[in-house]
Amino acid sequence: MHYYRPQNSEVSCFYKYLMFSYNILFWLAGAGFIAIGFWAWSEKGMLSDLTQVTRTHGLDPVWLVLIVGSITFILGFAGCVGALRENICLLKFFSGLICLIFLLEIVAAVLAFIYKDSLKEWINDFFLTNIKAYRDDIDLQNVIDSLQRLNSCCGAKEPDDWDLNAYFNCSETNPSRERCGVPFSCCISDPANNVVNTQCGYDVRIKDCCLHLFHRIQGGLSNAINTRGCILALEQWLPRNMYIVAGVFIGISVLQMVGIFLARALISDIMQSRFYY
């Protein structure tokens, strides 16, 4: 795709500095994400013991921050320097990488629609894997708690999924005080009480006669914790917020298309100016 303006041997300052402004934000955002990622690792002591990076059993959310930050930083760097220095190679790299990301997004969306049942099982297995590692990483713990609280859910399919965690499982040999419990984020919050009770999930899954009698008196387990799984919560959330999801996707796509247009227009200007000289 080429953009020509007849009898003009100069690079457009409008395209050049608009391209620079467009990418300086990405460059700074990428640097910020990378800084936040390394700060989070330093807080967890990973920078002093790099072997901990490979010992994480679940998803470390910092990895996602670092990957997004690195890609954003590289894109911003290529776009900024390519525009200021009128470097065709960097501008082609920038537009090519955005095109690749855009195509991957489309492919991912199509595959997710076609293989939605397999995707559902993968998400379920992924969530269960991270339930096992809930206490191993504070960032992962915060992500799961936020997910459960925002969606009023507990576990992947049910609260008993927390048996997979060493601290919450109901085995007789488990010495943890959290045995047969769930994280506080599974509890049904009281709107009148702003204080978070981190012990509200203790013993809620103990299956003995006394507890069953207690739950029967109280109206059931569902009055204490959310019994809906997070996979079901996600399935119910998506149709209700389809317009929001579509709007976000369209907004991101428009930004990507603008970046590609600016890069290709600037490349055309640079090649045309070199032709005249």
Side-chain angles (χ1 to χ4, degrees):
M1 188 181 298
H2 297 281
Y3 304 86
Y4 294 104
R5 288 191 302 278
Q7 304 303 320
N8 187 0
S9 61
E10 295 183 356
V11 175
S12 170
C13 291
F14 174 76
Y15 284 135
K16 180 175 181 177
Y17 290 106
L18 185 59
M19 179 73 175
F20 174 78
S21 302
Y22 176 88
N23 283 280
I24 193 67
L25 297 177
F26 287 97
W27 195 2
L28 294 175
F33 277 123
I34 293 173
I36 291 172
F38 281 111
W39 171 79
W41 268 357
S42 67
E43 288 293 304
K44 293 187 287 189
M46 284 190 173
L47 295 183
S48 59
D49 182 9
L50 292 177
T51 59
Q52 294 185 48
V53 175
T54 59
R55 291 205 302 262
T56 53
H57 301 291
L59 170 69
D60 188 342
V62 178
W63 275 113
L64 182 61
V65 174
L66 287 173
I67 292 173
V68 172
S70 298
I71 294 175
T72 307
F73 181 85
I74 291 171
L75 276 173
F77 176 82
C80 287
V81 177
L84 286 180
R85 302 296 298 174
E86 299 179 7
N87 189 303
I88 292 179
C89 291
L90 285 177
L91 291 173
K92 286 184 176 180
F93 171 79
F94 172 84
S95 61
L97 186 56
I98 289 189
C99 284
L100 177 61
I101 293 173
F102 181 70
L103 290 176
L104 290 176
E105 290 170 352
I106 295 176
V107 170
V110 172
L111 291 178
F113 179 78
I114 295 175
Y115 299 104
K116 54 185 177 182
D117 293 332
S118 299
L119 177 64
K120 178 181 174 182
E121 287 303 315
W122 179 84
I123 294 175
N124 179 71
D125 294 340
F126 180 77
F127 199 89
L128 293 177
T129 299
N130 287 285
I131 283 178
K132 294 179 184 178
Y134 175 76
R135 291 294 190 202
D136 296 341
D137 187 280
I138 186 63
D139 294 321
L140 174 63
Q141 182 175 314
N142 290 333
V143 168
I144 293 178
D145 284 335
S146 297
L147 178 65
Q148 293 190 146
R149 294 185 69 181
L150 290 174
N151 294 281
S152 300
C153 60
C154 188
K157 292 184 177 179
E158 57 182 356
D160 283 340
D161 289 337
W162 284 98
D163 273 332
L164 295 173
N165 187 274
Y167 294 90
F168 295 101
N169 75 71
C170 283
S171 63
E172 295 293 336
T173 57
N174 183 10
S176 172
R177 178 61 188 88
E178 296 176 308
R179 174 181 172 269
C180 280
V182 291
F184 73 94
S185 54
C186 286
C187 298
I188 297 176
S189 58
D190 183 1
N193 189 0
N194 294 326
V195 179
V196 177
N197 180 9
T198 58
Q199 299 180 0
C200 62
Y202 283 13
D203 304 325
V204 295
R205 296 188 299 109
I206 293 179
K207 296 178 175 62
D208 59 26
C209 59
C210 297
L211 191 69
H212 282 307
L213 178 61
F214 172 77
H215 286 322
R216 203 176 300 118
I217 295 172
Q218 295 295 319
L221 185 63
S222 60
N223 284 350
I225 64 171
N226 297 300
T227 56
R228 180 180 60 166
C230 290
I231 304 300
L232 177 60
L234 179 63
E235 291 178 344
Q236 294 173 344
W237 177 89
L238 195 56
R240 294 197 307 266
N241 297 273
M242 185 60 68
Y243 290 111
I244 296 176
V245 174
V248 170
F249 181 78
I250 292 173
I252 293 174
S253 300
V254 169
L255 285 175
Q256 291 171 331
M257 293 298 100
V258 169
I260 294 172
F261 172 81
L262 290 176
R264 298 307 301 176
L266 194 53
I267 289 172
S268 177
D269 272 4
I270 295 171
M271 293 179 66
Q272 186 175 348
S273 66
R274 291 180 180 177
F275 172 80
Y276 278 103
Y277 282 108

